[in-house]
Amino acid sequence: MSGFVGVLVSDPWLQSQFTQVELRSLKSKFVSTRTQSGRVTVGDLPPIFAKLRAFTEMFNEDGIEAMLGEAGFNMEEELDFESFLKAYINLQSRATKKTGGKKLKSSVSFLKAATTTFHHNINESEKASYVSHINSYLAEDLFLKKYLPLDATTNDLFDLVKDGVLLCKLINVAVPGTIDERAINTKGTLNPWERNENHTLCLNSAKAIGCTVVNIGTQDLVEARPHLVLGLISQIIKIQLLADLNLKKTPQLVELVDDSKEVEELLGLGPEKVLLKWMNFHLKKAGYSKQVTNFSSDVKDGEAYAYLLNALAPEHSSPASLDTKDPTERANMVLVQAEKLDCKGYLTSKDIVEGSPNLNLAFVAQIFQHRNGLSADTSKMSFAEMMTDDAQTSREERCFRLWINSLGTATYVNNVFEDIRNGWVLLEVLDKVSPGSVNWKLASKPPIKMPFRKVENCNQVIHIGKDLCFSLVNVAGNDIVQGNKKLILAYLWQLMRFTMLQLLKNLRSHSSHSQGKEITDADILKWANNKVKKAGRTSQMESFKDKNLSNGIFFLELLSAVEPRVVNWSVVTKGETDEDKKLNATYIISVARKLGCSIFLLPEDIIEVNQKMILTLTASIMYWSLQQQGYSESSAAEDSDVPDASPPPSVDGEKEEVLVGEVSNWTVDDAVSDATESTHVEEKDPYMK
């Protein structure tokens, strides 16, 4: 079970220079090189480091080799992992000097400089607010109530975080039903495996509700690093407080706009910006002359709060809050008014005056939850109804949105259909999953005023997609600009599928020394069936649209086959009724995340046998299993579980057929042909079956 253990370095100082995410990434590259070459030397470093984000935009292989030479490295010297890390730090330090002190992009924003000790200041006021939130919302939890209430003046919070249960429970408060609590290890004393399983479940579930966790690994939570723990808790609570700030949950928000075009713009706004729009809507009606653009400097004097509360709750209004000149006095009056609306616990008058952005945002969100001041029956409600999608489209949009955000791209996506129409986000994703594929000189960065620039971006997106063998018959960049939902979903599915197959191909190559051989959907299907059969189970999967999969038994047997102790069979149902199927599906998702699979599907996707999501789930389990073989470095003996890879694609036009494979025709070709609604046989791709 080495996959559950953090990467440990014997030198404490060296360990402190990296987060667990960075260590795992660098360890993976080190092991991969050693597997292929038998050893790692200094001469192997230039091609490795040149592909890392920290160096790729500034230095090529020759530049890195020159810096290694300047540092006095012997290119033939063999390196162990710790020497590999030291070389990385040395090189980064030299690279920073060569760029005149310009900060290099790191794979993770918390990477420390090689020659400094990095200290993270803990905001005690925020900590106290989060502790208060936890005490309030989890006070009646059967497992946690014996540990609550926590004392904000001590390390109670960080001590309780270490076993992983608290954060899992908090995620379920933020988005109910995200984690099946049957999958949480909750016995009195947890062993290291069980504790790390909880943290793995927590991090994968946090990604699945929209948290950005690229900076955090399980070992960081085991050690309860305060700045990382508070950062994650802050995101979880923020998601909870802002959950209703969208048209689906609160259709009355349509009152903030004047026409259907503005409704589309509202759909593309993140919840934080929607909250600002809502606040300014009421402030304008109340006669407040300024525009609030943030939850820090613009609210420090408390005047905006006074106007807002006087407008929303005139029965509790206090003219004195507008007359006083002292910001602290006004802030105290505002909090008294807010308490009458049951809005309390997130900030103090000091937090208002000092402009604490997180706590002020939480305060305004709480006001919105208790009294949004919007009309219940507005004539504009039809706008919101026009913008609603069918259930499957909404689920797929959610899945792709969360997947994109999990990649750590610079742009955060709030609504796929709105946010990718300028092409920039898709170019960022393509650059992540296929490094070097994007010509940034031809790309235009938002804000983009000229429409043709958006089309240029999207044309490049389509061009790269064709280079990656996506099926894009009758698809043009303008289709993305126009927001064609079916085509956007079809493109994103192929992009996500390509990423999965590349990850599997790379792992397969590392474990079996077989280069250039594609892994297809048929390989994934065969692998899954072989795994279950070898474990002595009888269920099999005919295809990724096999209706028998709806009861969940096959996936539970597959999960048990790759890690026997991860499934508690005493809580599994027969899957005969709809309720039992949902119980199994919910459990499957949580067990897979607990194992280490980063997945974004919902129980409904399993129950309804959504072929795309079923393939995603199976491929994620396969990827985790192959990773364990690589970590154990005994993959040669275990590689028999991996089916023979498909032959490498030919160069005479057959590569799309090989890549897509007979099993996956529905996943790529049908999705696109449905999207384009083309009825002309002669216009169909010649390699579509």
Side-chain angles (χ1 to χ4, degrees):
M1 292 294 295
S2 57
F4 289 136
V5 180
V7 178
L8 300 178
V9 180
S10 60
D11 182 344
W13 176 86
L14 192 58
Q15 175 98 32
S16 72
Q17 302 306 300
F18 302 90
T19 67
Q20 278 297 310
V21 172
E22 293 166 331
L23 284 172
R24 283 202 300 275
S25 175
L26 292 169
K27 182 67 177 285
S28 174
K29 290 172 173 56
F30 177 82
V31 171
S32 171
T33 304
R34 189 176 62 187
T35 301
Q36 293 179 52
S37 308
R39 63 179 192 147
V40 178
T41 67
V42 174
D44 294 320
L45 299 184
I48 298 174
F49 289 169
K51 294 177 182 178
L52 296 178
R53 191 180 178 194
F55 303 109
T56 187
E57 294 184 6
M58 298 283 186
F59 302 97
N60 56 21
E61 290 184 26
D62 291 339
I64 292 172
E65 185 174 348
M67 283 192 289
L68 288 170
E70 292 170 6
F73 283 97
N74 177 357
M75 304 306 281
E76 297 300 320
E77 179 185 351
E78 185 172 349
L79 301 174
D80 60 15
F81 181 56
E82 291 196 11
S83 301
F84 179 84
L85 294 177
K86 290 174 182 176
Y88 177 88
I89 290 174
N90 185 303
L91 189 61
Q92 190 188 48
S93 176
R94 288 177 176 275
T96 302
K97 290 178 182 177
K98 280 185 174 291
T99 56
K102 183 178 179 181
K103 186 178 179 182
L104 297 177
K105 287 189 176 181
S106 165
S107 59
V108 178
S109 61
F110 289 108
L111 185 63
K112 277 73 74 179
T115 58
T116 62
T117 303
F118 198 90
H119 295 285
H120 295 277
N121 294 321
I122 302 303
N123 187 316
E124 292 296 336
S125 188
E126 286 192 18
K127 175 188 169 186
S129 177
Y130 303 153
V131 166
S132 174
H133 182 95
I134 290 167
N135 288 339
S136 173
Y137 281 92
L138 290 169
E140 299 304 316
D141 183 86
L142 293 177
F143 178 81
L144 292 175
K145 63 182 181 181
K146 59 187 174 184
Y147 303 105
L148 302 180
L150 300 174
D151 185 348
T153 63
T154 69
N155 284 328
D156 280 0
L157 173 62
F158 304 119
D159 291 338
L160 190 54
V161 159
K162 290 180 180 180
D163 68 4
V165 178
L166 174 65
L167 293 178
C168 288
K169 299 275 189 177
L170 194 60
I171 286 170
N172 269 356
V173 169
V175 183
T178 299
I179 296 176
D180 189 325
E181 297 207 358
R182 295 173 296 175
I184 305 174
N185 299 318
T186 56
K187 69 181 186 181
T189 303
L190 302 179
N191 63 41
W193 287 347
E194 293 165 331
R195 183 186 58 201
N196 277 278
E197 283 179 341
N198 281 348
H199 290 312
T200 303
L201 173 59
C202 163
L203 291 176
N204 282 319
S205 299
K207 282 195 286 186
I209 66 170
C211 295
T212 302
V213 298
V214 292
N215 302 322
I216 310 172
T218 56
Q219 190 65 24
D220 298 316
L221 298 182
V222 169
E223 297 169 6
R225 294 189 179 186
H227 64 287
L228 295 177
V229 169
L230 291 180
L232 181 56
I233 290 176
S234 172
Q235 290 187 74
I236 295 170
I237 292 176
K238 182 177 175 181
I239 286 169
Q240 176 188 343
L241 294 175
L242 300 180
D244 294 337
L245 279 149
N246 59 73
L247 284 175
K248 188 173 183 180
K249 292 282 187 69
T250 311
Q252 298 95 322
L253 284 167
V254 77
E255 188 179 348
L256 305 182
V257 299
D258 294 323
D259 54 43
S260 58
K261 184 175 181 181
E262 288 189 4
V263 172
E264 292 183 7
E265 293 174 359
L266 187 63
L267 282 169
L269 293 179
E272 189 171 335
K273 290 186 177 178
V274 173
L275 189 62
L276 282 170
K277 192 175 184 71
W278 166 81
M279 188 176 182
N280 283 310
F281 172 79
H282 284 299
L283 288 175
K284 184 178 180 181
K285 291 204 311 185
Y288 187 65
S289 58
K290 302 175 186 176
Q291 185 86 356
V292 176
T293 61
N294 58 63
F295 293 106
S296 183
S297 58
D298 287 359
V299 295
K300 288 172 73 170
D301 60 8
E303 194 173 349
Y305 286 150
Y307 272 94
L308 180 65
L309 288 170
N310 285 351
L312 294 174
E315 71 275 21
H316 303 309
S317 65
S318 172
S321 63
L322 295 175
D323 296 335
T324 183
K325 302 299 182 183
D326 180 33
T328 301
E329 185 180 347
R330 182 185 294 119
N332 282 320
M333 292 180 181
V334 162
L335 291 177
V336 171
Q337 284 180 265
E339 192 165 345
K340 292 176 182 177
L341 290 177
D342 202 27
C343 300
K344 56 183 179 179
Y346 284 104
L347 80 176
T348 64
S349 57
K350 181 182 178 184
D351 297 321
I352 293 177
V353 173
E354 291 183 352
S356 173
N358 287 340
L359 299 184
N360 276 291
L361 182 146
F363 180 58
V364 178
Q366 196 180 33
I367 295 172
F368 176 87
Q369 287 183 341
H370 286 83
R371 187 168 302 191
N372 63 39
L374 300 173
S375 304
D377 53 342
T378 173
S379 59
K380 299 175 185 176
M381 204 69 80
S382 58
F383 288 153
E385 293 168 359
M386 286 164 47
M387 307 310 295
T388 56
D389 296 312
D390 63 85
Q392 182 165 330
T393 298
S394 295
R395 289 206 304 268
E396 290 193 11
E397 185 277 335
R398 170 194 170 279
C399 173
F400 295 134
R401 168 167 39 89
L402 294 170
W403 172 67
I404 290 171
N405 288 333
S406 76
L407 298 175
T409 52
T411 307
Y412 191 87
V413 176
N414 294 293
N415 182 293
V416 163
F417 300 131
E418 296 302 318
D419 292 354
I420 72 168
R421 287 170 61 173
N422 60 25
W424 183 262
V425 171
L426 287 176
L427 290 174
E428 286 185 319
V429 175
L430 285 163
D431 193 48
K432 281 276 186 183
V433 303
S434 181
S437 62
V438 177
N439 185 344
W440 290 110
K441 293 180 180 179
L442 301 180
S444 299
K445 185 176 182 178
I448 304 173
K449 295 182 179 180
M450 304 299 290
F452 76 91
R453 296 293 186 193
K454 299 178 182 179
V455 176
E456 286 177 345
N457 281 353
C458 292
N459 281 341
Q460 186 175 179
V461 166
I462 298 299
H463 176 75
I464 295 171
K466 289 179 178 178
D467 287 345
L468 298 177
C469 305
F470 294 179
S471 182
L472 296 168
V473 184
N474 299 331
V475 181
N478 197 49
D479 293 312
I480 297 176
V481 177
Q482 296 300 318
N484 186 316
K485 292 183 178 180
K486 287 185 177 180
L487 287 175
I488 288 171
L489 291 177
Y491 188 96
L492 285 172
W493 163 240
Q494 293 183 80
L495 185 54
M496 188 179 190
R497 179 179 169 278
F498 166 82
T499 307
M500 290 187 304
L501 293 181
Q502 285 299 110
L503 288 171
L504 288 169
K505 174 186 171 183
N506 291 341
L507 276 181
R508 170 66 183 274
S509 297
H510 295 160
S511 64
S512 64
H513 305 282
S514 55
Q515 300 296 318
K517 293 184 178 179
E518 305 293 344
I519 282 188
T520 68
D521 299 1
D523 293 329
I524 298 170
L525 183 74
K526 184 178 178 182
W527 173 87
N529 282 328
N530 283 348
K531 269 290 182 185
V532 172
K533 186 176 180 180
K534 283 189 175 184
R537 303 285 183 173
T538 57
S539 60
Q540 292 282 279
M541 172 168 53
E542 295 296 327
S543 70
F544 295 113
K545 52 185 176 181
D546 185 344
K547 293 301 180 184
N548 292 323
L549 298 173
S550 66
N551 64 19
I553 300 299
F554 176 82
F555 287 110
L556 288 165
E557 291 185 346
L558 177 59
L559 287 163
S560 180
V562 299
E563 177 43 63
R565 59 180 200 82
V566 79
V567 176
N568 179 0
W569 287 101
S570 67
V571 302
V572 174
T573 75
K574 293 182 179 180
E576 294 174 348
T577 66
D578 289 344
E579 183 179 351
D580 284 351
K581 287 179 179 179
K582 185 161 188 178
L583 284 170
N584 282 355
T586 305
Y587 188 56
I588 288 166
I589 292 170
S590 289
V591 169
R593 287 176 180 154
K594 174 180 178 177
L595 197 64
C597 301
S598 181
I599 50 176
F600 305 99
L601 73 166
L602 292 171
E604 291 79 6
D605 293 315
I606 296 175
I607 297 167
E608 297 171 14
V609 193
N610 180 323
Q611 299 101 316
K612 298 176 186 176
M613 299 302 116
I614 293 294
L615 171 58
T616 302
L617 174 61
T618 312
S620 296
I621 297 171
M622 180 179 178
Y623 180 66
W624 182 87
S625 181
L626 293 183
Q627 274 187 311
Q628 305 320 298
Q629 294 179 21
Y631 286 141
S632 66
E633 298 186 31
S634 59
S635 55
E638 298 180 61
D639 203 39
S640 58
D641 284 334
V642 186
D644 291 335
S646 304
S650 66
V651 295
D652 59 1
E654 295 180 357
K655 59 184 177 181
E656 180 175 339
E657 185 175 29
V658 172
L659 178 64
V660 174
E662 186 174 342
V663 177
S664 64
N665 283 337
W666 61 266
T667 62
V668 176
D669 300 324
D670 291 349
V672 179
S673 61
D674 286 347
T676 57
E677 299 177 349
S678 172
T679 56
H680 302 290
V681 176
E682 67 273 18
E683 290 181 347
K684 294 189 73 175
D685 191 302
Y687 303 113
M688 288 170 59
K689 293 185 179 181

